[in-house]
Amino acid sequence: MDKTFEQELTKLNQLDIPSIDGESFTQNLHLSMEKQAGVRRQMLSTFAASVFILFLGIVTFYQLDSTMGYETYYAEIESTYFDMDLWENESEDLVQESDDYYDHLAVLLLEEDNIWDSIEFFDEMNYLTNTKEI
Amino acid sequence: MKTDHELIREYQTGSVAAFDELVQRHVQMVFGFFVKITRDPMAAEDLSQDLFIKLHKHLKKFRFEAAFTTYLYRAQTNTANSWLSRNKWKHFLHLDQAAESGAPDTSVEKDWRKKELWDAVGKLPKKQRSVVMMRIAQELPYRDIADILGISVGSAKVNFHHALNKLKGWING
């Protein structure tokens, strides 16, 4: 039974096998091997280059770390960030403008009959003027 | 004429010509085996090329413990095994491809039966598949199959018997 089925399968699988040209096959084989070797070489050099770039990156990072630290950067920012010397840069125009501003504000408060605010405002003005004179 | 072992020794000392001669000596047999399994000469040539590329690498460590053909059969069986495993799910048949029962034995039907056979072989466990390939595609005796696979003759026969039963069930429905 098994023998018959086996024979059937063997018979079924009997083919006219096309012949293959040994020489051209060998030539193609060598070409494929060279191609594969080329790909392997390329992959190796890519890997080596990646490792080198990574190494260079790490070394550069640690080299620059000592000169570009956060503390220096922070100190520089800090020195300008907290400077609020607006009055030191005040020009004559600005003084004139602020005097006009106080005059206008005084008139406005008087017109509104808000006597307490006006007094407070004049006191403040007086204080500022005295401070400037001192 | 130099023996296979002599050619391998020459190749191991750096002779490319010796390797070429070895390839040319065996390429027809290897190609024929792969054609029977793939039913496609192009695929068979690719598989043959893959096989000889692997041999080119591994023959440098060949230890001359067995005949080169034993080594070659084992390598081609492994290559065919991988191909069948890779293609097992690619070979589902469309219904309109199936031959009708009682139809005359045309070449189309024969092709279909071959395709059906190797699709079924692809579904077998690895050891059974290897035995079937060597028995059907190469018509090797059990003794050689046992040597190639490193099993006993009895084990080769049992594996083949189990495989045939499964194939009969799948193919004959």
Side-chain angles (χ1 to χ4, degrees), chain A residues 2 6 13 15 20 30, chain B residues 20 28 49 114 118 135 161:
Chain A
D2 267 2
E6 183 187 340
N13 213 44
L15 292 170
I20 189 163
H30 283 293
Chain B
D20 288 354
Q28 187 61 48
Q49 217 170 60
K114 269 181 220 160
W118 288 109
R135 191 81 187 144
H161 175 76

Side-chain angles (χ1 to χ4, degrees), chain A residues 1-2 5-6 8-10 12-13 15 17-20 22-23 25-26 28-30 32-33 36, chain B residues 16 20 24 27-28 31-32 36 48-49 52-53 56 113-114 117-118 135-136 139 160-161 164 168:
Chain A
M1 181 79 173
D2 267 2
F5 186 63
E6 183 187 340
E8 206 180 302
L9 293 183
T10 313
L12 175 74
N13 213 44
L15 292 170
I17 306 291
S19 63
I20 189 163
E23 276 195 23
F25 179 84
T26 318
N28 289 338
L29 184 69
H30 283 293
S32 299
M33 285 194 289
Q36 278 192 7
Chain B
V16 181
D20 288 354
Q24 287 178 21
V27 68
Q28 187 61 48
F31 176 69
K36 281 183 180 175
S48 310
Q49 217 170 60
F52 283 112
I53 289 173
H56 185 264
R113 297 274 296 172
K114 269 181 220 160
L117 166 68
W118 288 109
R135 191 81 187 144
I136 295 175
E139 297 176 46
F160 187 63
H161 175 76
L164 279 196
K168 227 187 292 182

Side-chain angles (χ1 to χ4, degrees), chain B residues 30-130:
Chain B
V30 171
F31 176 69
F33 172 75
F34 286 133
V35 168
K36 281 183 180 175
I37 286 168
T38 59
R39 304 170 304 277
D40 175 8
M42 293 284 278
E45 198 173 333
D46 286 347
L47 287 178
S48 310
Q49 217 170 60
D50 286 351
L51 175 72
F52 283 112
I53 289 173
K54 278 180 201 154
L55 281 182
H56 185 264
K57 203 175 357 172
H58 290 104
L59 274 185
K60 284 178 181 159
K61 292 173 190 164
F62 188 74
R63 286 179 295 185
F64 306 98
E65 287 165 356
F68 171 67
T69 44
T70 306
Y71 186 73
L72 187 64
Y73 284 141
R74 194 179 299 157
Q76 70 183 21
T77 307
N78 286 338
T79 309
N81 251 327
S82 312
W83 186 86
L84 284 170
S85 304
R86 268 203 313 271
N87 292 277
K88 158 160 90 168
W89 306 112
K90 288 185 190 169
H91 291 293
F92 282 117
L93 286 171
H94 295 292
L95 285 175
D96 56 358
Q97 277 183 284
E100 287 170 26
S101 57
D105 187 17
T106 58
S107 63
V108 174
E109 195 204 341
K110 207 174 171 188
D111 281 350
W112 181 79
R113 297 274 296 172
K114 269 181 220 160
K115 185 174 165 47
E116 196 184 30
L117 166 68
W118 288 109
D119 289 345
V121 172
K123 289 185 224 160
L124 289 171
K126 197 177 169 187
K127 202 181 267 181
Q128 291 179 13
R129 201 191 307 159
S130 303

